Amino acid sequence: MADLLAIPAAHAGHWIPYLIPIAIVLIAVVVSSVRERRERQKP
Amino acid sequence: MIPRTSRPAVLTAAAVLATAAAVAVLLPARAWAHATLIGREDLPLPEWLFIYGALLILVVSFVGLLLAWRKPHFEDRPARPATPRLSALLLNRFTEALAGLIGVALLILVVWTGLDGVVAPDRNFSVSFVFVTFWLGVTAISVLFGDVFRAFNPWRATGRAVSAGFTLIAGQRAPAPLAYPERLGRWPAAIAVGGFLFLELVWGQSGFAAAGIEPRDVAIATLVYSAYTFAAMALFGVDRWIDRGEAFSQYFAMFASLAPIAYEDRRILLRRPLSGSTTWSGPAGSLALVLIAIGGTTFDGAQEGLLKDPINSLYGTLIDAGASPVASLRLANTLFLLLALVVVTGIFWAGIQGMRIVESKRSARELATAFAHAFIPIALAYIVAHYFSYVVYLEQAQFTFLLSDPFGTGDDIFGTADSGIDYTLLNASVIQYTQFGAIVIGHVLALALGHDRALKIWGNTRDAAWSQVWMLVMMMFFSMLGLYLLSEANG
């Protein structure tokens, strides 16, 4: 079963370029959304 | 103008993406040499250009929608009838009966060739007809010409004929014994579509000791599904079951909702493309249907690439545990099919939960139902990207030697039994651009449908933008997943 985790790690060079831009955008969107929520909750 | 509060996320996303693209360009070529989109060295564009090209198109489309799309363009748009003469010519008792007869004849042919034809799936009419011509071909026809399958549906045609016969003999219509439970919605259809995908992608998977699907399996599955459908129609009424529970009717109607043509009471209606989908996602189970469609294609794409090694690894583990080779292969594929469905559903639900960071008044269920229809173009995009070349090649066989020799026993009914498949019909570039184009266009259309729905729900671009920034994230996930699967499957 350890192979199941080792296989994605071995292919990291291929999938990381796909994941990086989404991860960065996701973080940006989460931070912005939380800030907007706080803005709206201010009296 | 983009509303002030929505600027940071949108602009940050665009800036980050542009920076990432710049970094990608500056990286040594070797870093990207791992694979090209469809794995051929002589393709015109490098893989990074496809990745960042797709993401930039999505971000630019998103910003464009915020700036220029200020009121709904798909919602509440009534269809207008085509000329009555055209409707009368195409939709009348004769054409209805003819379409129904063709559907029933094809159903019988599938069962007959499946039971009586040769065992080799590539020489028997039934296998490629069900999994390519019917499953993929009718999807394409539905997107272009609307819900055509309804007329050709062999179960509906048979049910209506039996019902008409009863009325003629008894002098009264037979009422359905049970009312269809509204809470079931499209769930029976979604579950049966899942069953069809299991048959195709798990049961039909060959390798190691499993022989793959045989024509006889197709025939038996068709008979079992027909018996189940006739029983359900007898219980709930023909039209009610077709309109909610019948798997293929609901699956093809989902794609037909994108079409510019609709049919109602023997009238042809013309409408704005995509607008039909805005009323599609009401019944329970609609979301499940569209996610299963995406999940099935995701698994099929991953089976030959991304998941190939993990499936083999799990297969080995199960063999070591004492399971038989066939059971091990099927169990391993079943688990990864379920995993694909969980991943697709997880991306969707994470996006919906993201929307609720800002919009907390509406429940996740409400938002999920409201935006489910926006994912139909993604399901279509995945299908086109994954099966486009497959359909082009297999349909050559279907309409030449398999039509002339449906049993594979040496007949030559139409004189085309000696024809073959021309694999030079498509070159690598055409396939690559079609795959990329399908993924990008499908996700841009999904963004447009989501934005349109958000404008209807919130009535202003500011709140719509805060929900749609999450739709953008989901589109990025699904487009990258689609492109990555293609890259892995063909690499």
Side-chain angles (χ1 to χ4, degrees), chain A residues 1 3-4 7 11 13-15 17-19 21-22 24-26 28-30 32-37 40, chain B residues 5 9 12 16 32 34 47 55 309-310 313 356-358 462-463 466 469-470 473 476-477 480 484 487-488:
Chain A
M1 287 299 281
D3 288 356
L4 289 178
I7 291 163
H11 289 90
H14 192 204
W15 57 258
Y18 287 86
L19 203 59
I22 307 174
I24 296 171
V25 172
L26 180 63
V29 169
V30 169
S32 302
S33 294
V34 171
R35 277 172 52 195
E36 171 68 10
R37 185 190 175 114
R40 290 184 185 205
Chain B
T5 47
T12 308
V16 163
W32 296 98
H34 184 84
E47 187 176 14
L55 292 176
D309 290 340
S313 173
R356 295 189 69 237
I357 294 177
V358 176
R462 176 175 179 262
D463 288 332
W466 278 109
V469 92
W470 283 96
V473 173
M476 285 181 160
F477 263 104
M480 287 303 98
Y484 181 68
S487 162
E488 280 281 315

Side-chain angles (χ1 to χ4, degrees), chain B residues 104-440:
Chain B
V104 172
L106 288 169
L107 181 77
I108 292 170
L109 188 60
V110 164
V111 174
W112 190 7
T113 53
L115 292 176
D116 252 13
V118 293
V119 176
D122 58 338
R123 300 295 305 172
N124 190 303
F125 176 86
S126 63
V127 179
S128 66
F129 182 81
V130 169
F131 293 113
V132 185
T133 305
F134 175 63
W135 184 243
L136 301 173
V138 177
T139 298
I141 290 169
S142 302
V143 171
L144 295 173
F145 303 108
D147 194 5
V148 177
F149 177 66
R150 190 178 174 82
F152 289 87
N153 186 330
W155 303 290
R156 176 175 177 264
T158 309
R160 283 166 68 94
V162 170
S163 180
F166 180 88
T167 307
L168 199 67
I169 294 165
Q172 61 177 36
R173 296 187 69 179
L178 295 175
Y180 185 79
E182 204 49 52
R183 67 178 182 283
L184 281 184
R186 292 191 169 107
W187 275 107
I191 292 165
V193 166
F196 181 88
L197 291 171
F198 173 83
L199 182 74
E200 181 189 17
L201 305 175
V202 176
W203 197 268
Q205 180 66 11
S206 59
F208 305 107
I213 201 153
E214 291 182 359
R216 192 176 176 79
D217 300 329
V218 173
I220 291 169
T222 306
L223 287 172
V224 169
Y225 183 75
S226 298
Y228 157 74
T229 304
F230 290 138
M233 288 194 301
L235 284 176
F236 301 114
V238 174
D239 288 327
R240 194 69 187 133
W241 184 251
I242 294 293
D243 287 341
R244 281 289 181 272
E246 203 276 293
F248 301 107
S249 298
Q250 292 308 304
Y251 183 77
F252 296 132
M254 175 175 78
F255 292 110
S257 71
L258 304 174
I261 304 169
Y263 309 94
E264 192 181 273
D265 300 331
R266 289 193 183 148
R267 282 189 312 157
I268 297 174
L269 302 174
L270 303 175
R271 63 192 179 191
R272 181 168 285 187
L274 310 184
S275 64
S277 68
T278 57
T279 54
W280 176 81
S281 60
S286 302
L287 177 62
L289 185 61
V290 70
L291 292 181
I292 286 171
I294 296 173
T297 316
T298 300
F299 174 71
D300 197 15
Q303 208 176 21
E304 296 302 318
L306 178 66
L307 294 179
K308 192 175 180 181
D309 290 340
I311 289 172
N312 290 348
S313 173
L314 183 58
Y315 168 80
T317 306
L318 292 168
I319 289 282
D320 291 344
S324 76
V326 174
S328 299
L329 185 65
R330 286 181 178 155
L331 185 57
N333 275 302
T334 303
L335 292 174
F336 279 101
L337 172 60
L338 292 174
L339 179 68
L341 294 174
V342 168
V343 167
V344 166
T345 307
I347 296 172
F348 179 84
W349 275 100
I352 293 295
Q353 292 300 337
M355 284 185 193
R356 295 189 69 237
I357 294 177
V358 176
E359 166 57 49
S360 53
K361 288 178 198 152
R362 287 175 174 78
S363 70
R365 185 181 290 267
E366 256 180 289
L367 290 171
T369 305
F371 289 99
H373 71 293
F375 287 77
I376 304 173
I378 299 178
L380 179 66
Y382 270 42
I383 288 171
V384 173
H386 285 281
Y387 301 118
F388 156 70
S389 55
Y390 185 64
V391 169
V392 170
Y393 294 138
L394 264 288
E395 287 310 273
Q396 293 178 58
Q398 187 77 72
F399 288 100
T400 55
F401 62 85
L402 288 175
L403 199 62
S404 268
D405 185 16
F407 293 87
T409 50
D411 295 332
D412 194 2
I413 300 168
F414 300 105
T416 54
D418 292 329
S419 303
I421 298 173
D422 180 6
Y423 286 102
T424 62
L425 211 58
L426 301 172
N427 62 38
S429 293
V430 170
I431 296 172
Q432 185 187 34
Y433 283 123
T434 305
Q435 290 174 332
F436 177 75
I439 293 285
V440 170

